[in-house]
Amino acid sequence: MIKIKYLILIPIIFLLLLPACAIPLYRPVLLYYICAIGFYLLLLIFKRNYLFKRINLLIKKTPAKYFWYFILWLLADGFLLVILNKYNFSNYLYYMITLLLLTFIFSYFLPSIIFPKYLSKKLFIKFMFCVYLISCFAGLIQYISVNLNINVINSILKILTNIRFLVSIDHELSATRLSGLYEEPGYFGAFIFLNLPIVYNCCLSKYKIFDNKYLNKLTKILAIPLFWVCLILTKSPIWLVFCLLLTGIYFAKNIIAFIIKHFIKFSIAFVLICACIMLFLSKINTSDTYLNRIYVALQTFKNFEIFIFAEPSLATRVLSYYYTFKVFLANCILGVGLGNAKYYTLTQILNHPMPLTYEFHSRLNNILILRESKMGLNGSLFFDILSDTGIIGFVLFYYFLIKNYLWEKKLKLYYTGIYYLFLDGISKGTLAYIFISIYDINYLTLFIWFFFGMGLIFYPINNKNKLS
């Protein structure tokens, strides 16, 4: 029977396991936001002293301090832009509530408010591995169910991932790409990438994740293969490349040591593997596989007019980043305000014409028909923060990320066993994210803010938690 105290996990469950589940109000509102608001309101009513003391301690003693500097800059910068008439006051209030408070602050502090005060650090590690397994199994069920047209399961999945269905009546579950419980396959790929170092660390170690020996063994055997199967079935070339690079770097020392020790055997094996791959590729039509998208993208990128037809999805993102960067260049000191770049992108598109993808043309046509002045683009934190917060906000944010990585790297030295490995995985994931933040993960990717705050649960250090 589930213990009552575990109900405190509800907001985290909606954040990590039901990130695309929404209710239709004026516009679709994620159920996580409703749960998070209720959770923090209850804390304010019944545990106000604990809430403020905990956040105050984290801001004083951890990288949360630099996160808070970034938040204060967003507030001050936005207010100054309102005064300068570059930022509508109603937009300012809206984005300060929906993005800054509900998304950034609530998600960042959520894990360290619940752990370790109400639930232990060890339980947190177990919980995260449950999330990994459930996410992967749900993804496989979705992929199989859609392909076999199992209506009952498909109907349930449409409810659990309904945010796109509420926005567009034409949206359908993909039969070709695995998205699981996420809004789209790329988001699931990003989640796998970010948590891959944690899974590698813990599953390849001698230390227990779960106390039950059968569950522990099963988790260690299944977690890594499940991550890779799901990643491959998302059919997201960029996240496959990122995960391969991350894996190569992670195992670089082992690979180099193996090559040196078994050079002759490795050379023979390498030649044989290359020969087999070439033979295999000659027997199949690689143009029918999504891996061909990587080759096509590399071949056509030098000619953008060809690139937009060969790889329209990636081209749309490249165009989005290009025009978002143009917005930054035109407003490089203060930016244009949190969430406000969409009101400036149309001017940049008209002033700096480029060959556009079909999706871009559709967006422009909709704006002309609806006579709107705003145009949303595909986001990434790197470019969004540049355009919205200016160079000052950009420096504050990336200084926070670097300090977060260095702090986690130092903090892990005070722990042993599974705690050390989990923290080391978080620090490696943070560093990896810094390098790939130019792509795809936007403001509304809830798990990224949660991930930034995961290391905070290990502060303050307590000797009884130095377990192996």
Side-chain angles (χ1 to χ4, degrees):
M1 190 172 176
I2 298 174
K3 294 181 180 178
I4 295 296
K5 67 176 183 179
Y6 292 160
L7 293 176
I8 203 169
L9 288 171
I10 287 175
I12 299 183
I13 289 171
F14 275 99
L15 188 154
L16 295 177
L17 287 174
L18 294 169
C21 188
I23 55 174
L25 296 176
Y26 170 69
R27 60 180 63 185
V29 176
L30 292 174
L31 276 174
Y32 160 70
Y33 289 138
I34 307 298
C35 291
I37 291 169
F39 172 74
Y40 279 99
L41 280 176
L42 287 173
L43 284 177
L44 282 171
I45 295 170
F46 299 107
K47 295 288 182 179
R48 183 169 58 253
N49 289 339
Y50 162 70
L51 178 64
F52 290 142
K53 283 181 180 179
R54 179 63 174 162
I55 292 177
N56 184 55
L57 174 69
L58 295 174
I59 290 173
K60 283 184 176 180
K61 301 293 185 179
T62 75
K65 176 197 314 181
Y66 306 102
F67 174 78
W68 202 248
Y69 291 159
F70 174 64
I71 294 299
L72 292 175
W73 169 253
L74 293 180
L75 287 165
D77 178 51
F79 189 71
L80 182 57
L81 289 167
V82 169
I83 294 173
L84 295 174
N85 203 31
K86 291 187 175 183
Y87 197 6
N88 183 282
F89 184 68
S90 61
N91 287 350
Y92 172 75
L93 287 178
Y94 176 78
Y95 288 117
M96 291 305 122
I97 294 171
T98 59
L99 284 181
L100 185 140
L101 181 63
L102 298 184
T103 303
F104 301 178
I105 296 176
F106 278 15
S107 303
Y108 176 71
F109 284 111
L110 185 60
S112 58
I113 297 296
I114 295 174
F115 301 92
K117 168 70 173 178
Y118 297 105
L119 300 169
S120 70
K121 299 180 182 76
K122 195 166 186 179
L123 181 64
F124 178 75
I125 296 172
K126 294 176 183 177
F127 174 76
M128 288 306 299
F129 272 88
C130 287
V131 168
Y132 300 150
L133 294 174
I134 292 170
S135 297
C136 289
F137 282 122
L140 294 175
I141 290 169
Q142 169 258 313
Y143 190 80
I144 294 168
S145 175
V146 176
N147 278 279
L148 296 181
N149 197 26
I150 305 174
N151 291 327
V152 174
I153 296 177
N154 290 345
S155 298
I156 295 171
L157 288 168
K158 286 181 180 180
I159 294 171
L160 298 180
T161 60
N162 66 346
I163 191 163
R164 286 289 177 99
F165 296 95
L166 293 174
V167 172
S168 172
I169 57 173
D170 297 323
H171 184 69
E172 290 292 339
L173 292 170
S174 175
T176 57
R177 302 182 66 188
L178 181 152
S179 57
L181 297 172
Y182 289 82
E183 191 173 339
E184 64 173 57
Y187 292 170
F188 195 13
F191 178 81
I192 290 171
F193 172 84
L194 204 61
N195 290 279
L196 202 54
I198 295 174
V199 173
Y200 281 158
N201 269 8
C202 297
C203 290
L204 298 176
S205 75
K206 64 181 181 181
Y207 300 107
K208 287 183 177 181
I209 298 170
F210 294 99
D211 296 325
N212 183 289
K213 65 179 181 179
Y214 300 109
L215 180 58
N216 183 67
K217 189 172 183 179
L218 198 62
T219 299
K220 288 195 167 193
I221 292 171
L222 290 178
I224 295 174
L226 280 172
F227 258 37
W228 275 100
V229 169
C230 288
L231 175 67
I232 292 168
L233 291 178
T234 63
K235 298 185 180 179
S236 175
I238 196 71
W239 288 113
L240 177 62
V241 170
F242 284 159
C243 286
L244 285 171
L245 288 172
L246 179 60
T247 300
I249 295 168
Y250 184 92
F251 293 107
K253 289 182 180 178
N254 296 32
I255 294 169
I256 293 169
F258 178 82
I259 292 172
I260 293 172
K261 186 176 180 180
H262 306 281
F263 181 74
I264 296 175
K265 292 179 180 178
F266 173 80
S267 300
I268 295 171
F270 180 75
V271 171
L272 289 173
I273 290 170
C274 287
C276 290
I277 291 172
M278 291 175 67
L279 181 64
F280 175 73
L281 293 178
S282 68
K283 297 293 184 182
I284 65 169
N285 183 5
T286 55
S287 63
D288 293 335
T289 68
Y290 84 96
L291 297 176
N292 187 57
R293 291 176 59 190
I294 299 172
Y295 173 78
V296 170
L298 293 173
Q299 287 293 311
T300 60
F301 190 74
K302 57 189 175 184
N303 188 326
F304 200 72
E305 290 188 9
I306 298 175
F307 179 69
I308 63 174
F309 291 105
E311 189 51 51
S313 177
L314 181 58
T316 298
R317 284 179 167 82
V318 172
L319 284 167
S320 294
Y321 305 153
Y322 171 77
Y323 285 119
T324 305
F325 190 68
K326 285 292 184 182
V327 172
F328 159 70
L329 292 178
N331 306 271
C332 58
I333 304 300
L334 298 177
V336 296
L338 183 64
N340 205 41
K342 63 174 70 71
Y343 292 94
Y344 289 80
T345 51
L346 185 59
T347 300
Q348 296 303 322
I349 293 169
L350 296 175
N351 290 340
H352 301 90
M354 288 272 289
L356 302 178
T357 61
Y358 174 78
E359 185 177 347
F360 248 85
H361 279 297
S362 298
R363 293 181 191 181
L364 284 173
N365 289 336
N366 288 337
I367 286 174
L368 292 173
I369 293 170
L370 298 174
R371 297 184 181 277
E372 292 186 354
S373 60
K374 63 179 180 178
M375 178 174 176
L377 300 176
N378 295 80
S380 81
L381 281 184
F382 182 93
F383 293 104
D384 289 345
I385 287 172
L386 269 176
S387 65
D388 287 4
T389 72
I391 194 65
I392 297 174
F394 177 82
V395 169
L396 286 172
F397 178 71
Y398 277 88
Y399 187 71
F400 153 67
L401 289 185
I402 293 167
K403 293 294 287 187
N404 211 32
Y405 162 70
L406 295 174
W407 181 79
E408 288 163 352
K409 188 177 179 182
K410 183 179 179 181
L411 183 68
K412 72 185 182 185
L413 300 177
Y414 292 92
Y415 287 90
T416 59
I418 200 71
Y419 297 123
Y420 173 91
L421 294 170
F422 195 86
L423 260 172
D424 181 65
I426 296 174
S427 68
K428 284 184 169 70
T430 302
L431 182 62
Y433 174 74
I434 292 172
F435 287 103
I436 61 92
S437 59
I438 61 171
Y439 184 80
D440 203 37
I441 299 176
N442 59 39
Y443 286 145
L444 291 173
T445 311
L446 293 168
F447 63 76
I448 192 68
W449 302 102
F450 183 89
F451 188 87
F452 293 155
M454 274 169 48
L456 299 179
I457 73 168
F458 292 88
Y459 189 86
I461 299 146
N462 189 324
N463 286 330
K464 72 178 182 180
N465 288 315
K466 294 177 68 175
L467 303 174
S468 58

